[in-house]
mmCIF file of all heavy atoms in Angstrom:
data_model
loop_
_atom_site.group_PDB
_atom_site.id
_atom_site.type_symbol
_atom_site.label_atom_id
_atom_site.label_comp_id
_atom_site.label_asym_id
_atom_site.label_seq_id
_atom_site.Cartn_x
_atom_site.Cartn_y
_atom_site.Cartn_z
ATOM 1 N N ARG P 9 -55.072 25.309 -51.309
ATOM 2 C CA ARG P 9 -55.064 23.884 -50.883
ATOM 3 C C ARG P 9 -54.116 23.061 -51.764
ATOM 4 O O ARG P 9 -53.405 22.194 -51.285
ATOM 5 C CB ARG P 9 -56.479 23.298 -50.902
ATOM 6 C CG ARG P 9 -57.164 23.541 -49.555
ATOM 7 C CD ARG P 9 -58.502 22.842 -49.422
ATOM 8 N NE ARG P 9 -59.564 23.667 -50.008
ATOM 9 C CZ ARG P 9 -60.258 23.350 -51.077
ATOM 10 N NH1 ARG P 9 -60.044 22.228 -51.709
ATOM 11 N NH2 ARG P 9 -61.184 24.173 -51.548
ATOM 12 N N ALA P 10 -54.117 23.330 -53.081
ATOM 13 C CA ALA P 10 -53.247 22.598 -53.992
ATOM 14 C C ALA P 10 -51.775 22.877 -53.696
ATOM 15 O O ALA P 10 -50.919 21.987 -53.741
ATOM 16 C CB ALA P 10 -53.587 22.940 -55.424
ATOM 17 N N LEU P 11 -51.479 24.128 -53.374
ATOM 18 C CA LEU P 11 -50.110 24.502 -53.116
ATOM 19 C C LEU P 11 -49.618 23.877 -51.778
ATOM 20 O O LEU P 11 -48.483 23.400 -51.706
ATOM 21 C CB LEU P 11 -49.988 26.044 -53.043
ATOM 22 C CG LEU P 11 -48.591 26.611 -53.322
ATOM 23 C CD1 LEU P 11 -48.082 26.221 -54.704
ATOM 24 C CD2 LEU P 11 -48.587 28.120 -53.170
ATOM 25 N N ILE P 12 -50.487 23.885 -50.786
ATOM 26 C CA ILE P 12 -50.143 23.224 -49.518
ATOM 27 C C ILE P 12 -49.929 21.725 -49.758
ATOM 28 O O ILE P 12 -48.989 21.142 -49.192
ATOM 29 C CB ILE P 12 -51.251 23.473 -48.467
ATOM 30 C CG1 ILE P 12 -51.274 24.949 -48.076
ATOM 31 C CG2 ILE P 12 -51.044 22.594 -47.249
ATOM 32 C CD1 ILE P 12 -52.529 25.362 -47.302
ATOM 33 N N GLU P 13 -50.742 21.140 -50.576
ATOM 34 C CA GLU P 13 -50.590 19.713 -50.875
ATOM 35 C C GLU P 13 -49.249 19.419 -51.552
ATOM 36 O O GLU P 13 -48.569 18.433 -51.256
ATOM 37 C CB GLU P 13 -51.767 19.220 -51.718
ATOM 38 C CG GLU P 13 -51.709 17.761 -52.132
ATOM 39 C CD GLU P 13 -51.590 16.760 -50.971
ATOM 40 O OE1 GLU P 13 -51.901 17.114 -49.817
ATOM 41 O OE2 GLU P 13 -51.156 15.618 -51.223
ATOM 42 N N ALA P 14 -48.841 20.288 -52.471
ATOM 43 C CA ALA P 14 -47.523 20.108 -53.131
ATOM 44 C C ALA P 14 -46.386 20.244 -52.105
ATOM 45 O O ALA P 14 -45.432 19.460 -52.144
ATOM 46 C CB ALA P 14 -47.362 21.151 -54.223
ATOM 47 N N ALA P 15 -46.538 21.160 -51.172
ATOM 48 C CA ALA P 15 -45.535 21.312 -50.110
ATOM 49 C C ALA P 15 -45.509 20.103 -49.195
ATOM 50 O O ALA P 15 -44.453 19.623 -48.771
ATOM 51 C CB ALA P 15 -45.795 22.597 -49.309
ATOM 52 N N ARG P 16 -46.692 19.585 -48.907
ATOM 53 C CA ARG P 16 -46.792 18.394 -48.034
ATOM 54 C C ARG P 16 -46.107 17.201 -48.702
ATOM 55 O O ARG P 16 -45.363 16.439 -48.074
ATOM 56 C CB ARG P 16 -48.253 18.071 -47.754
ATOM 57 C CG ARG P 16 -48.462 16.994 -46.676
ATOM 58 C CD ARG P 16 -49.910 16.572 -46.573
ATOM 59 N NE ARG P 16 -50.362 15.834 -47.737
ATOM 60 C CZ ARG P 16 -50.035 14.560 -48.011
ATOM 61 N NH1 ARG P 16 -49.283 13.870 -47.192
ATOM 62 N NH2 ARG P 16 -50.478 13.964 -49.122
ATOM 63 N N GLN P 17 -46.318 17.059 -50.004
ATOM 64 C CA GLN P 17 -45.737 15.908 -50.701
ATOM 65 C C GLN P 17 -44.222 15.999 -50.839
ATOM 66 O O GLN P 17 -43.522 14.989 -50.629
ATOM 67 C CB GLN P 17 -46.376 15.768 -52.084
ATOM 68 C CG GLN P 17 -47.767 15.179 -52.011
ATOM 69 C CD GLN P 17 -48.371 14.942 -53.392
ATOM 70 O OE1 GLN P 17 -47.649 14.838 -54.390
ATOM 71 N NE2 GLN P 17 -49.673 14.856 -53.447
ATOM 72 N N VAL P 18 -43.709 17.171 -51.171
ATOM 73 C CA VAL P 18 -42.248 17.282 -51.360
ATOM 74 C C VAL P 18 -41.510 17.122 -50.036
ATOM 75 O O VAL P 18 -40.355 16.726 -50.013
ATOM 76 C CB VAL P 18 -41.871 18.593 -52.092
ATOM 77 C CG1 VAL P 18 -42.033 19.805 -51.183
ATOM 78 C CG2 VAL P 18 -40.464 18.513 -52.628
ATOM 79 N N ARG P 19 -42.202 17.423 -48.943
ATOM 80 C CA ARG P 19 -41.585 17.242 -47.616
ATOM 81 C C ARG P 19 -41.109 15.802 -47.406
ATOM 82 O O ARG P 19 -40.142 15.578 -46.667
ATOM 83 C CB ARG P 19 -42.613 17.649 -46.561
ATOM 84 C CG ARG P 19 -42.126 17.496 -45.134
ATOM 85 C CD ARG P 19 -43.180 17.913 -44.147
ATOM 86 N NE ARG P 19 -42.821 17.502 -42.791
ATOM 87 C CZ ARG P 19 -43.055 16.281 -42.303
ATOM 88 N NH1 ARG P 19 -43.684 15.382 -43.019
ATOM 89 N NH2 ARG P 19 -42.673 16.005 -41.057
ATOM 90 N N ASP P 20 -41.761 14.867 -48.059
ATOM 91 C CA ASP P 20 -41.319 13.464 -47.926
ATOM 92 C C ASP P 20 -39.882 13.260 -48.412
ATOM 93 O O ASP P 20 -39.246 12.267 -48.101
ATOM 94 C CB ASP P 20 -42.238 12.522 -48.755
ATOM 95 C CG ASP P 20 -43.633 12.409 -48.168
ATOM 96 O OD1 ASP P 20 -43.803 12.783 -46.965
ATOM 97 O OD2 ASP P 20 -44.543 11.935 -48.877
ATOM 98 N N VAL P 31 -39.202 19.828 -43.813
ATOM 99 C CA VAL P 31 -39.980 20.971 -44.294
ATOM 100 C C VAL P 31 -40.182 20.833 -45.806
ATOM 101 O O VAL P 31 -39.253 20.457 -46.530
ATOM 102 C CB VAL P 31 -39.246 22.313 -44.017
ATOM 103 C CG1 VAL P 31 -40.125 23.505 -44.389
ATOM 104 C CG2 VAL P 31 -38.815 22.430 -42.533
ATOM 105 N N GLY P 32 -41.382 21.142 -46.261
ATOM 106 C CA GLY P 32 -41.669 21.175 -47.692
ATOM 107 C C GLY P 32 -42.167 22.560 -48.078
ATOM 108 O O GLY P 32 -42.869 23.209 -47.276
ATOM 109 N N ALA P 33 -41.799 23.012 -49.249
ATOM 110 C CA ALA P 33 -42.265 24.336 -49.734
ATOM 111 C C ALA P 33 -42.654 24.204 -51.203
ATOM 112 O O ALA P 33 -42.057 23.398 -51.940
ATOM 113 C CB ALA P 33 -41.191 25.392 -49.541
ATOM 114 N N ALA P 34 -43.627 24.997 -51.605
ATOM 115 C CA ALA P 34 -44.035 25.010 -53.010
ATOM 116 C C ALA P 34 -44.383 26.427 -53.409
ATOM 117 O O ALA P 34 -45.106 27.130 -52.668
ATOM 118 C CB ALA P 34 -45.238 24.087 -53.214
ATOM 119 N N VAL P 35 -43.862 26.826 -54.560
ATOM 120 C CA VAL P 35 -44.058 28.179 -55.091
ATOM 121 C C VAL P 35 -45.026 28.108 -56.265
ATOM 122 O O VAL P 35 -44.828 27.302 -57.176
ATOM 123 C CB VAL P 35 -42.723 28.772 -55.605
ATOM 124 C CG1 VAL P 35 -42.920 30.135 -56.204
ATOM 125 C CG2 VAL P 35 -41.685 28.842 -54.480
ATOM 126 N N VAL P 42 -45.935 25.320 -60.575
ATOM 127 C CA VAL P 42 -45.607 25.049 -59.155
ATOM 128 C C VAL P 42 -44.216 24.473 -59.098
ATOM 129 O O VAL P 42 -43.875 23.541 -59.846
ATOM 130 C CB VAL P 42 -46.634 24.078 -58.541
ATOM 131 C CG1 VAL P 42 -46.202 23.649 -57.142
ATOM 132 C CG2 VAL P 42 -48.018 24.733 -58.486
ATOM 133 N N ALA P 44 -41.431 22.944 -56.358
ATOM 134 C CA ALA P 44 -41.397 22.429 -54.994
ATOM 135 C C ALA P 44 -39.953 22.221 -54.528
ATOM 136 O O ALA P 44 -39.067 21.936 -55.339
ATOM 137 C CB ALA P 44 -42.164 21.110 -54.916
ATOM 138 N N GLY P 45 -39.727 22.375 -53.236
ATOM 139 C CA GLY P 45 -38.408 22.170 -52.669
ATOM 140 C C GLY P 45 -38.510 21.721 -51.219
ATOM 141 O O GLY P 45 -39.521 21.980 -50.556
ATOM 142 N N CYS P 46 -37.467 21.052 -50.750
ATOM 143 C CA CYS P 46 -37.435 20.588 -49.372
ATOM 144 C C CYS P 46 -36.126 21.003 -48.730
ATOM 145 O O CYS P 46 -35.178 21.387 -49.435
ATOM 146 C CB CYS P 46 -37.583 19.060 -49.322
ATOM 147 S SG CYS P 46 -36.342 18.214 -50.306
ATOM 148 N N ILE P 78 -46.072 31.273 -51.823
ATOM 149 C CA ILE P 78 -45.232 30.142 -51.429
ATOM 150 C C ILE P 78 -45.870 29.487 -50.200
ATOM 151 O O ILE P 78 -46.216 30.177 -49.241
ATOM 152 C CB ILE P 78 -43.759 30.563 -51.169
ATOM 153 C CG1 ILE P 78 -42.904 29.333 -50.744
ATOM 154 C CG2 ILE P 78 -43.633 31.690 -50.141
ATOM 155 C CD1 ILE P 78 -41.405 29.602 -50.763
ATOM 156 N N ALA P 79 -46.071 28.177 -50.291
ATOM 157 C CA ALA P 79 -46.616 27.427 -49.169
ATOM 158 C C ALA P 79 -45.491 26.682 -48.486
ATOM 159 O O ALA P 79 -44.545 26.200 -49.125
ATOM 160 C CB ALA P 79 -47.663 26.432 -49.671
ATOM 161 N N VAL P 80 -45.572 26.620 -47.171
ATOM 162 C CA VAL P 80 -44.576 25.910 -46.347
ATOM 163 C C VAL P 80 -45.329 24.939 -45.454
ATOM 164 O O VAL P 80 -46.238 25.377 -44.707
ATOM 165 C CB VAL P 80 -43.766 26.930 -45.481
ATOM 166 C CG1 VAL P 80 -42.687 26.187 -44.713
ATOM 167 C CG2 VAL P 80 -43.150 28.024 -46.335
ATOM 168 N N PHE P 81 -44.987 23.673 -45.548
ATOM 169 C CA PHE P 81 -45.705 22.663 -44.754
ATOM 170 C C PHE P 81 -44.752 21.973 -43.803
ATOM 171 O O PHE P 81 -43.672 21.521 -44.185
ATOM 172 C CB PHE P 81 -46.331 21.624 -45.670
ATOM 173 C CG PHE P 81 -47.172 20.628 -44.925
ATOM 174 C CD1 PHE P 81 -48.520 20.845 -44.738
ATOM 175 C CD2 PHE P 81 -46.597 19.481 -44.390
ATOM 176 C CE1 PHE P 81 -49.309 19.923 -44.017
ATOM 177 C CE2 PHE P 81 -47.352 18.560 -43.676
ATOM 178 C CZ PHE P 81 -48.718 18.780 -43.482
ATOM 179 N N VAL P 82 -45.182 21.894 -42.532
ATOM 180 C CA VAL P 82 -44.470 21.104 -41.514
ATOM 181 C C VAL P 82 -45.487 20.251 -40.746
ATOM 182 O O VAL P 82 -46.661 20.631 -40.661
ATOM 183 C CB VAL P 82 -43.663 21.984 -40.535
ATOM 184 C CG1 VAL P 82 -42.551 22.736 -41.248
ATOM 185 C CG2 VAL P 82 -44.564 22.931 -39.746
ATOM 186 N N VAL P 108 -47.937 31.176 -47.244
ATOM 187 C CA VAL P 108 -48.961 30.322 -46.655
ATOM 188 C C VAL P 108 -48.251 29.255 -45.835
ATOM 189 O O VAL P 108 -47.608 28.359 -46.391
ATOM 190 C CB VAL P 108 -49.824 29.646 -47.753
ATOM 191 C CG1 VAL P 108 -50.910 28.770 -47.142
ATOM 192 C CG2 VAL P 108 -50.423 30.690 -48.701
ATOM 193 N N ALA P 110 -48.389 26.153 -43.196
ATOM 194 C CA ALA P 110 -49.416 25.181 -42.859
ATOM 195 C C ALA P 110 -48.862 24.009 -42.059
ATOM 196 O O ALA P 110 -47.711 23.594 -42.178
ATOM 197 C CB ALA P 110 -50.056 24.665 -44.138
#
Side-chain angles (χ1 to χ4, degrees):
R9 271 187 275 114
L11 204 59
I12 292 166
E13 177 57 18
R16 190 188 68 76
Q17 284 184 21
V18 73
R19 179 180 168 276
D20 290 345
V31 186
V35 177
V42 173
C46 55
I78 180 167
V80 183
F81 184 91
V82 296
V108 181

